[in-house]
Amino acid sequence: MPGEHHYALTTTWTGDRGTGTSGYRDYDRAVTIRVDGKPELLASADTPFRGDGTRWNPEDLLLASLSECHLLSYLHACVGRGVIVTSYVDDAVGTMRQEGNGGRFESVTLRPRVTVSDASMIDAAVAAHDDAHEWCFIASSVSFPVRHEAVVEAG
């Protein structure tokens, strides 16, 4: 089926052990990744490609990989910058264009909503997204733009 295909998922960091990212070993790397209406991490092809639309597909998983890679790189960058993250939720979206029997992703936009423990950390927390983008192996491996539209607030 020709045209654009859009994907969206939510990646939630669930690894706060009570002190956020106060130290590199002080937080768990646990993440929950969900696509509305689909079970977690069961895979198939996407429906337009004759797959099971109730299961995760490669396009969802690519988007999830980009989202989680940025999240994990970001948490590491925050530790280095002295930023204590207490919450991180990303509502990532991607656009794929199918042409004939092939196609490609055209872009992905990560939309992380981050809470830090103190307002004085907001500028450093925003800057840490640039570090994360540079450090993310997955984003460095794809041939389409991966953008981030981050919102950071103190909680």
Side-chain angles (χ1 to χ4, degrees), residues 15-148:
D16 183 2
R17 294 178 177 154
T19 60
T21 55
S22 58
Y24 190 68
R25 291 184 173 87
D26 295 339
Y27 62 94
D28 196 329
R29 275 63 172 177
V31 175
T32 300
I33 303 170
R34 290 187 174 89
V35 173
D36 288 345
K38 298 180 183 183
E40 296 177 14
L41 297 178
L42 298 175
S44 181
D46 195 10
T47 303
F49 309 107
R50 300 185 183 152
D52 181 346
T54 66
R55 293 179 175 236
W56 286 66
N57 60 59
E59 295 78 16
D60 293 332
L61 293 169
L62 176 60
L63 187 58
S65 294
L66 287 162
S67 179
E68 184 178 2
C69 185
H70 186 87
L71 181 157
L72 295 171
S73 298
Y74 180 77
L75 296 177
H76 181 74
C78 284
V79 170
R81 289 177 174 268
V83 173
I84 298 175
V85 175
T86 59
S87 175
Y88 182 115
V89 177
D90 180 14
D91 293 312
V93 294
T95 300
M96 186 186 82
R97 179 169 304 280
Q98 185 180 355
E99 298 171 353
N101 290 329
R104 63 186 319 258
F105 266 78
E106 292 184 330
S107 67
V108 162
T109 302
L110 307 176
R111 295 186 176 129
R113 294 181 319 279
V114 178
T115 305
V116 297
S117 65
D118 189 88
S120 66
M121 299 175 177
I122 290 176
D123 289 343
V126 170
H129 282 288
D130 293 330
D131 296 339
H133 180 73
E134 181 181 329
W135 299 343
C136 175
F137 302 140
I138 308 301
S140 298
S141 300
V142 298
S143 62
F144 53 83
V146 178
R147 298 177 185 90
H148 59 272

